[in-house]
Amino acid sequence: MNDMRKVERDLKVNDAKITARNVDVRYGETHAIKDVSIDIPDRTVTSFIGPSGCGKSTFLRCLNRMNDTIDICRVTGKITIDGKDINERSVDPVQLRAQVGMVFQKPNPFPKSIYDNIAYGPRIHGLARSKTDMDEIVERALRRGAIWNEVKDRLHAPGTGLSGGQQQRLCIARAIATEPEVLLMDEPCSALDPIATAQVEELIDELRQDYSVVIVTHSMQQAARVSQKTAFFHLGDLVEFGETEKIFTNPSDPRTESYITGRIG
Amino acid sequence: MTDITNAPGPRSPHRTTELIAGTLKRRHAKEARLKWIGLGAIGIAFTMLFILIASLVSSGWQAFAQTHISVAVYIDPQEVPAENLPRGGFDDVLAAAMAQMLPDADTDDRATMRSLNGILSNGAQFSLRDQVVANPDLIGQTVTIKVPVSDPFDQLNKGLIDRDTIEQNRRVTDREIAWFDTLKDQGAISKPFNWALFTNADSRFPELAGLKGALVGSFWVLSICFIISFPLGIGSAIYLEEFAPKNKLSDFIEVNINNLAAVPSVVFGLLALAVFIGWFGMPRSAPIVGGLTLALMTMPTIIIATRAALKAVPPSIREAALGVGASKQQVVFHHVLPLAMPGILTGTIIGLAQALGETAPLLLIGMNAFITSAASSPFDSATALPTQIFIWADSPERGFVSRTSAAILVLLGFLMLMNAVAIYLRQKFQRKW
């Protein structure tokens, strides 16, 4: 993959997959996200960029209610996926997280076999009717995670024995094994070397065919390479959101310009 | 945006280098001192341990062998009538057999015959009777039996009685020593491994006393302790660590669990005496009560170890499981608990090892009673290893001195075994992240 290649920009006009309105997040006294409203389109890669501590990961974690697990975290505002409010009482976070997969900063495979890593999600949700069905799900997920050829001969070897890049692709395969509609990635390449990064980026580009992908990244080059839409966060504010090309060539906010030219951050 | 342009430049670099060089010697000296202090501490600890083990072994090793005597006994039908067996005069039969081996003994003198019988353990007549009861055809025949000698002669054979002491001041008379030496010359005396130490229960006679009752008692006590404290401890720890809201109440509970772990064991014994025996009317001296008491003591240890092990599971694993849509309970039982298991087991085994050596609470609930049979259920009276040591240490017979040390060695052996298992489990299941 040519590292500065601009992916095709012509977006089909999609309805927003995820809509956030006036979202505020507080950790105790700290106001981490301030009144953020954003429409994230379907079948698109949207990247969140911004300096450390700007709230981009926090906002990402609102989208599958991972912040619920933090006691002191309070989320207000309205977030909908396909028009359905995810913070409503009737929505079970378990159901939501099956629908909104997540990949984390550090590859975190379960200390189990490669097969069991993938099969775990489908198994707890009861997605497979039989052993052969499960085998199919696992193979499909590993193929879409672009790691099948590397692991097909050692499906029962521990997942923790793979290299960092392979582990991260295994985690992506694990996330898509439950057939989610949205895939959240929290700095998925920050622990990887350039070659592994390139492989993961290529994979992200392919996943765009089927999913709405939201990726948090520290690397502006990465945002430029993989995403069609970019949101710039600064100190808890959503400063600017638009076409990636516009953000990187002709930003409208002076803070965005300072950041992408390297003057803040 | 940084304001590096306004920042002051470095202070003179040469001076800094000199200053650092000046402190180096002091820092190195400090490091060396620390190293020596550490080595010294380890050295002292090891010396103490060595002295302890050495003194136990030196006084206890003799108890692992027991002097036996082989006697050819003619089972005289006149003395032991077949129709009236259990009350038969087996001591007379044995005395006669002893007199056969010692021609200079006067068989008509009752005192002589009594002291001849005194060479044999008091248990000899009973074991002979058991043989005859099992097989009445033996009456009228000569059988060779191998029985323990009584404690004074065991001590004599082991060289623990000084033959140069004046006669009145030792347990065996000159005549008895002469007899014993004759028997020894005849090759009747042997000193095999003392299996009775593990197959006999307690006895008033040191040569017959063994640890079976205590081992069985300790087994029941520890089993009950484990069955109660392991599930309860893990359950409480999982709730407190994973599910309980963090508030004043949970802080209060946490502080009190830590306090509970530090409560002196004798207090648990008093509690057990009042509650289990007083209120619930459970039997005294029973392993069920001992097990419950020690479970109370072990539980805080297990809770603390389990919570530490749960905490040590990296949050990334929880996030990964939550991320694919596992519920809280699935996260805990599918991922966190299996990963914490080695730590939990290590903590549990250490807790049980502590319980195995615990004496004070067992004394209070009467597990230091004199019980001559092994418990067949947790509701029977029994002793445990540490209380058996306590009883033997209190007994005046010389034979119990070395048996006390031997029992301590057995207890230490079990403790080391348990700790070794704990270390093995930790090594085997330790994971690298």
Side-chain angles (χ1 to χ4, degrees), chain A residues 50-80:
Chain A
S52 295
C54 69
K56 52 194 191 300
S57 288
T58 302
F59 185 68
L60 188 78
R61 290 165 63 96
C62 290
L63 303 180
N64 68 345
R65 288 179 58 181
M66 279 300 267
N67 287 328
D68 285 15
T69 56
I70 302 166
D71 278 341
I72 56 164
C73 186
R74 294 280 166 272
V75 181
T76 55
K78 188 171 178 180
I79 300 172
T80 61

Side-chain angles (χ1 to χ4, degrees), chain B residues 323-404:
Chain B
V324 295
S327 67
K328 183 91 193 171
Q329 173 263 333
Q330 285 170 327
V331 173
V332 172
F333 285 92
H334 295 172
H335 299 282
V336 178
L337 197 56
L339 293 175
M341 222 34 174
I344 296 174
L345 287 179
T346 309
T348 305
I349 292 171
I350 288 169
L352 286 179
Q354 210 180 342
L356 175 64
E358 203 54 70
T359 324
L362 300 185
L363 295 181
L364 282 166
I365 58 164
M367 286 195 77
N368 56 337
F370 173 66
I371 292 148
T372 54
S373 60
S376 55
S377 83
F379 300 94
D380 296 343
S381 296
T383 55
L385 271 175
T387 45
Q388 189 69 65
I389 291 167
F390 184 83
I391 299 167
W392 284 357
D394 234 16
S395 303
E397 286 86 355
R398 270 194 97 145
F400 281 122
V401 175
S402 60
R403 273 180 162 69
T404 305

Side-chain angles (χ1 to χ4, degrees), chain B residues 253-263 300 304 307:
Chain B
I253 293 174
E254 176 160 7
V255 167
N256 277 290
I257 286 173
N258 290 337
N259 283 343
L260 213 53
V263 168
I304 291 167
R307 293 189 68 175

Side-chain angles (χ1 to χ4, degrees), chain A:
Chain A
M1 187 169 177
N2 179 348
D3 65 343
M4 282 305 280
R5 178 169 67 97
K6 300 277 189 285
V7 291
E8 49 167 324
R9 303 292 180 204
D10 54 340
L11 291 169
K12 287 169 243 126
V13 183
N14 289 314
D15 292 334
K17 180 79 179 169
I18 307 172
T19 314
R21 289 290 173 268
N22 310 106
V23 174
D24 279 86
V25 181
R26 287 183 176 79
Y27 290 109
E29 294 296 301
T30 319
H31 200 168
I33 293 285
K34 297 166 189 160
D35 197 28
V36 168
S37 298
I38 192 170
D39 289 313
I40 295 169
D42 201 3
R43 293 174 203 278
T44 311
V45 179
T46 305
S47 60
F48 292 175
I49 60 169
S52 295
C54 69
K56 52 194 191 300
S57 288
T58 302
F59 185 68
L60 188 78
R61 290 165 63 96
C62 290
L63 303 180
N64 68 345
R65 288 179 58 181
M66 279 300 267
N67 287 328
D68 285 15
T69 56
I70 302 166
D71 278 341
I72 56 164
C73 186
R74 294 280 166 272
V75 181
T76 55
K78 188 171 178 180
I79 300 172
T80 61
I81 294 181
D82 290 335
K84 195 166 165 33
D85 189 345
I86 63 165
N87 284 314
E88 229 172 58
R89 276 183 170 274
S90 62
V91 176
D92 193 318
V94 165
Q95 171 100 50
L96 177 69
R97 288 178 198 140
Q99 194 190 352
V100 182
M102 187 154 187
V103 177
F104 298 86
Q105 184 171 359
K106 222 182 110 202
N108 55 356
F110 299 130
K112 299 178 187 236
S113 72
I114 291 166
Y115 184 96
D116 287 334
N117 262 282
I118 304 295
Y120 181 69
R123 192 176 288 145
I124 58 172
H125 296 303
L127 302 184
R129 284 181 305 277
S130 63
K131 173 89 176 65
T132 43
D133 203 17
M134 181 62 87
D135 290 347
E136 210 181 295
I137 289 175
V138 171
E139 182 177 339
R140 200 176 149 76
L142 287 170
R143 279 188 192 283
R144 284 158 92 194
I147 193 178
W148 172 252
N149 286 328
E150 289 154 73
V151 299
K152 64 183 178 205
D153 300 323
R154 45 172 175 155
L155 286 178
H156 295 282
T160 42
L162 299 171
S163 74
Q166 288 174 326
Q167 286 188 17
Q168 195 61 300
R169 278 179 284 145
L170 178 68
C171 291
I172 294 172
R174 180 177 66 192
I176 56 188
T178 54
E179 301 288 335
E181 295 159 26
V182 178
L183 203 53
L184 307 178
M185 298 188 170
D186 189 355
E187 297 180 39
C189 300
S190 65
L192 305 184
D193 68 23
I195 294 169
T197 301
Q199 287 168 329
V200 171
E201 285 179 3
E202 205 164 352
L203 173 60
I204 292 169
D205 197 38
E206 270 160 36
L207 294 173
R208 183 165 65 90
Q209 313 299 323
D210 304 299
Y211 306 99
S212 171
V213 181
V214 185
I215 173 171
V216 164
T217 177
H218 257 125
S219 150
M220 282 176 284
Q221 288 87 341
Q222 184 171 56
R225 283 194 301 261
V226 300
S227 68
Q228 290 80 51
K229 291 272 209 173
T230 297
F232 171 62
F233 286 81
H234 188 237
L235 302 174
D237 291 309
L238 174 61
V239 174
E240 193 167 351
F241 176 54
E243 304 286 314
T244 300
E245 200 163 69
K246 180 172 178 300
I247 297 273
F248 280 99
T249 52
N250 185 20
S252 49
D253 194 289
R255 284 174 291 175
T256 316
E257 195 183 348
S258 304
Y259 182 68
I260 61 171
T261 53
R263 266 185 286 143
I264 56 170

Side-chain angles (χ1 to χ4, degrees), chain B residues 131-150:
Chain B
Q131 275 189 43
V132 175
V133 169
N135 183 9
D137 293 345
L138 291 177
I139 294 172
Q141 295 182 22
T142 302
V143 288
T144 304
I145 58 167
K146 196 171 166 189
V147 290
V149 299
S150 65

